[in-house]
């Protein structure tokens, strides 16, 4: 079971989802759903997690490449069928 599969209120601090930004160990607050159209089918979604501080930076990184599909609060995220988690 990955941290995103576990109920959020049952996760221990060591298992809590963390930000995907390089070197960041802050708690994740956002899910950035994306796909690379050169590699993935249109319905496939990969995810990065972001803390409050890195949400905008990671969104811009994916956005300028045309990869960003959605940004959702972590506690509201429902992974689509067939998506992958970080």
């Amino acid at each position: 079971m990955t941290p995103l599969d576990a109920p959020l209120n049952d996760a221990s601090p060591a298992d809590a989802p963390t930000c995907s930004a390089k070197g960041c160990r802050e708690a994740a607050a956002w899910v950035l759903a994306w796909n690379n159209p050169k590699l993935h089918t249109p319905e496939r979604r990969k995810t990065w997690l972001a803390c409050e501080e890195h949400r905008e930076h990671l969104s811009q990184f994916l956005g300028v490449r045309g990869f960003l599909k959605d940004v959702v609060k972590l506690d509201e995220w429902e992974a689509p069928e067939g998506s992958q988690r970080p």
Side-chain angles (χ1 to χ4, degrees):
M1 180 180 293
T2 66
L4 283 179
D5 292 329
L8 294 178
N9 55 359
D10 290 347
S12 71
D15 293 335
T18 57
C19 182
S20 298
K22 185 175 182 178
C24 185
R25 293 287 139 236
E26 292 296 315
W30 297 91
V31 175
L32 286 65
W34 63 278
N35 83 7
N36 179 339
K38 291 182 180 179
L39 302 175
H40 308 124
T41 59
E43 66 279 353
R44 182 163 178 199
R45 293 293 180 267
K46 297 191 58 111
T47 57
W48 281 356
L49 301 177
C51 64
E52 290 292 340
E53 180 181 346
H54 291 112
R55 179 184 60 86
E56 187 63 32
H57 171 74
L58 294 173
S59 294
Q60 287 179 356
F61 179 89
L62 293 168
V64 299
R65 290 159 178 80
F67 295 175
L68 187 63
K69 301 300 178 191
D70 204 4
V71 178
V72 180
K73 290 287 283 182
L74 179 62
D75 59 357
E76 297 173 5
W77 173 251
E78 293 183 25
E81 192 75 24
S83 66
Q84 284 190 319
R85 292 170 180 84

